[in-house]
Amino acid sequence: MLKRLLPPPKWRFPVMIVSAIFTGLFLYTFYISKAHSYLSDAPEACTNCHIMSPQYATWNHSSHREVANCNDCHVPHNNVFNKYYFKAKDGLRHSTIFTLRREPQVIFILDEGAEVVHNNCIRCHSKLLNDPKLVASVSNHDVHMTDRKCWECHREVPHGRVNSISSVPNARVPLPESPVPNWLKQYINNK
């Protein structure tokens, strides 16, 4: 079976060269795109592309900064496989849009993502939702909990009223590190 997959002897060297080139390009792309950072829960990974700067800046100034990162809200937590499947699917969509320069000026969450965020609000705030003081002090809170998303009332949490990059023009966000290796920078500077 394995012999059927191998190229004829005169083609083995060119196939090895082409395979090495494609492997090198894949590894280079993986390194340049910082793909490994997306496996973590670090909020800075979300700013690898500049389009998420307003969301990072507003989260960084919110009360959620102390207790939650991007993945705590925007990724399902029912099991580890679903979490990484969702991250991969969403990340592939984001990277495709960004690579093709099709990102909109104003970012809106998709319905699937909105459902995940809503479920995570309930997951984290379940004790608060059953608080008798809250139920007594907020009129119709129990009715509104079932017929709408949390942010329809809590509009400022956690991103505020972010609409575009122009809404936080002077935001301080972590800048992506240079993909140029240090040894190459030193070599260029010594010339």
Side-chain angles (χ1 to χ4, degrees), residues 120-171:
N120 284 329
C121 289
I122 293 168
R123 179 179 59 84
C124 286
H125 297 284
S126 61
K127 288 182 183 175
L128 184 64
L129 295 174
N130 298 322
D131 183 10
K133 286 192 254 179
L134 177 70
V135 173
S137 63
V138 179
S139 63
N140 293 327
H141 191 260
D142 54 339
V143 174
H144 295 314
M145 286 189 327
T146 58
D147 68 346
R148 59 179 69 173
K149 302 278 190 228
C150 298
W151 54 86
E152 289 179 31
C153 295
H154 303 274
R155 288 182 181 91
E156 301 296 322
V157 178
H159 294 296
R161 295 179 186 252
V162 172
N163 289 320
S164 69
I165 197 144
S166 63
S167 62
V168 284
N170 299 317

